[in-house]
Amino acid sequence: MQNNQTLFEAIELIKKSEEIIVFSGAGISTKSGILDFRSSDGLYNHISSNYDLPYPEAIFELDYFIENPKPFYNLAMGILDQYIRPTKCHEFLAWLEEQGKQIKIITQNSDMLHQVAGSQDIMECHGTFNSAHCLECESEFHLDDIRDTILEGTVPYCDCGGLIKPDVVFFGEDLPEEVYSYFEKEVEADLILILGTSLNVLPISKFITEILERIPSIMVNLEATQYDKEVTCLFNEDLNEFAELSWGLLEKSL
Ligand code: CNA
C-alpha cells in the first residue's frame, strides 16, 4: 500500500462513520472476471479488436441495439458463460454492514455481485441484468427465462415478435426514477467510499462529485480520475488489496 498514513486516516474515517454511502463502478468487479469499460484491457478495447462496430460504445446504444442486437448478446453470452463470484471488496462492504454500519450502495454495475455478497441496501443506477423487457409489448422476463437462448448464441424475442432487452440502462435511456428522487434531497452521510470508477459517466458522476464538497470521502481506483484532488483519502491501488488490508485492521478494532 502506497501510503500508510493515508491508510490509517481512512481506517479512522470508516471506524467513526455510522452512515456510509458506497459508490461503486466496474472496477470493483474486474477481479471477478468482468472487464470494465475504460481500462487498457477493458471492454472497449476488447470490442474494438473483436467486433465490427462503427465505434465500441455502439454496442451499448439503444438505437444501435434495436437495429443490430447480435453484438450485445454475443458479449452477454461470454459473461453469462463464466462462473462469477463477488470479490473480497464486495464481501468487505457486506461485512461492514454486519458490523452495524448503515451502508447504502449506489452502483453503476448491473452484475448483481453486491446482492450476492449480502449487501442489503442497493440502488442500481444503471439497471440490472436480472430482468428484461420486450421492447414491443413490455412483457417482463427474468434472466433465467432468456439465459439459455443467450448461451446458445441466439437473440431472445418475445412471443409477440418483439426484441427482448435486459433492464440495463443503455446510452440513450434515462436512469431509473429512484436515482433522481434520491439525489433531489440533500444527501446525508458520514462518509462516501468511491470504488473502481473513472467517474466519466453522467449524470451519476456529477451527482456524486457534488457531494464531495460536504462529506469526507475515500476513493480507491487504479487509475487517476479528474476528481482525485477533491477526495479526503485517495488510493491508486487495487480494490481487493485495499479491502483486505482495511478488513484486517478494522476486524481488530470494530
Ligand atoms: P470505467 O469507466 O471502466 O472505470 C473503471 C475504473 O475502475 C477505471 O478507472 C480503472 O482504473 C478502475 N479499476 C479497474 N480494476 C480495478 C481494480 N482491481 N481496483 C481498483 N480500481 C480498478 O467504469 P465505470 O464504472 O466508471 O463506468 C460506468 C459504466 C461501466 C457503467 O455504465 C457500468 O454499467 C459499466 N460497466 C459495468 C460493469 C459491471 O456491471 N461489472 C462492467 C463493465 C462496465
Side-chain angles (χ1 to χ4, degrees):
M1 185 65 50
Q2 65 201 6
N3 185 335
N4 280 344
Q5 188 52 41
T6 316
L7 180 63
F8 291 128
E9 200 184 326
I11 296 297
E12 283 311 307
L13 275 175
I14 297 174
K15 252 199 308 201
K16 71 176 190 205
S17 298
E18 279 170 24
E19 279 183 57
I20 303 177
I21 295 173
V22 175
F23 181 57
S24 67
I28 196 174
S29 299
T30 49
K31 283 279 156 80
S32 298
I34 307 174
L35 301 183
D36 65 10
F37 273 175
R38 294 178 182 81
S39 290
S40 51
D41 56 354
L43 269 178
Y44 285 154
N45 282 338
H46 169 77
I47 291 166
S48 298
S49 320
N50 294 286
Y51 289 75
D52 184 18
L53 293 170
Y55 44 90
E57 290 88 344
I59 205 166
F60 303 112
E61 281 178 3
L62 186 60
D63 289 347
Y64 189 85
F65 174 77
I66 292 168
E67 285 295 309
N68 184 12
K70 193 99 187 140
F72 173 82
Y73 275 118
N74 188 287
L75 189 68
M77 178 173 74
I79 295 171
L80 289 177
D81 207 19
Q82 299 174 50
Y83 179 66
I84 289 166
R85 297 294 306 155
T87 64
K88 198 78 183 169
C89 190
H90 291 100
E91 287 167 1
F92 170 58
L93 299 171
W95 175 78
L96 280 178
E97 197 170 331
E98 281 168 21
Q99 306 314 300
K101 304 280 183 198
Q102 201 180 313
I103 307 276
K104 171 140 196 109
I105 310 260
I106 302 176
T107 187
Q108 298 173 97
N109 298 342
S110 43
D111 55 27
M112 297 165 288
L113 289 177
H114 285 295
Q115 286 89 332
V116 178
S119 289
Q120 300 294 318
D121 184 357
I122 303 164
M123 185 161 78
E124 293 170 299
C125 48
H126 291 160
T128 177
F129 236 98
N130 209 27
S131 58
H133 277 83
C134 168
L135 290 178
E136 294 294 327
C137 70
E138 297 184 2
S139 293
E140 186 172 351
F141 298 85
H142 190 272
L143 172 61
D144 291 340
D145 302 327
I146 57 172
R147 185 194 298 269
D148 288 348
T149 310
I150 300 172
L151 285 171
E152 283 161 11
T154 310
V155 173
Y157 285 93
C158 177
D159 285 346
C160 80
L163 174 62
I164 298 175
K165 178 191 156 291
D167 291 340
V168 289
V169 177
F170 275 39
F171 294 122
E173 290 186 297
D174 216 347
L175 304 191
E177 189 45 46
E178 66 165 327
V179 177
Y180 292 103
S181 32
Y182 179 78
F183 285 102
E184 226 168 58
K185 296 170 241 126
E186 181 156 288
V187 173
E188 306 268 354
D190 303 313
L191 176 65
I192 174 157
L193 302 182
I194 302 178
L195 308 178
T197 170
S198 61
L199 292 167
N200 270 324
V201 178
L202 291 168
I204 190 72
S205 59
K206 182 170 170 286
F207 295 152
I208 293 294
T209 49
E210 277 169 4
I211 307 175
L212 294 179
E213 290 167 14
R214 296 186 288 110
I215 299 177
S217 52
I218 299 170
M219 175 143 81
V220 189
N221 205 58
L222 279 179
E223 291 160 16
T225 77
Q226 57 180 312
Y227 300 100
D228 286 3
K229 290 205 165 67
E230 294 173 39
V231 296
T232 319
C233 297
L234 174 71
F235 299 91
N236 291 128
E237 306 277 352
D238 171 65
L239 274 162
N240 272 0
E241 272 176 41
F242 172 81
E244 236 165 275
L245 267 175
S246 305
W247 196 336
L249 291 167
L250 284 162
E251 209 162 29
K252 294 184 193 122
S253 53
L254 273 182

